[in-house]
Amino acid sequence: MICTNCGTEIAEKALICYRCGEATTEPRVKPPVEGSLFDTPRRRSPMTMVVAIVILVLVALWYFLSANFAP
């Protein structure tokens, strides 16, 4: 078989050309036409915000209470 990209002779069952790296067959799953899958905006769950606020409140309480009891 001859590579359609660079013209190198390759094995009949080769999936890619060893010289140029071009695929010899069409992919079974086509990539999405519009944009990237990684461009979707991230959504933060409300539970994450609640946990963050609770942690901040606990740290603030610990700081103020430890400052009041310091000698």
Side-chain angles (χ1 to χ4, degrees):
M1 175 166 63
I2 304 292
C3 175
T4 57
N5 188 47
C6 68
T8 303
E9 188 170 339
I10 55 176
E12 288 296 322
K13 294 183 179 181
L15 298 177
I16 61 170
C17 174
Y18 72 90
R19 178 175 251 173
C20 68
E22 190 70 23
T24 58
T25 60
E26 290 294 318
R28 291 183 183 177
V29 178
K30 303 236 180 202
V33 178
E34 297 177 10
S36 171
L37 296 176
F38 301 106
D39 290 340
T40 57
R42 298 181 96 193
R43 296 181 192 164
R44 291 195 174 112
S45 68
M47 190 62 173
T48 306
M49 295 301 241
V50 169
V51 169
I53 291 171
V54 167
I55 290 172
L56 286 174
V57 167
L58 290 174
V59 168
L61 281 173
W62 174 78
Y63 175 76
F64 288 121
L65 290 177
S66 65
N68 288 337
F69 292 115

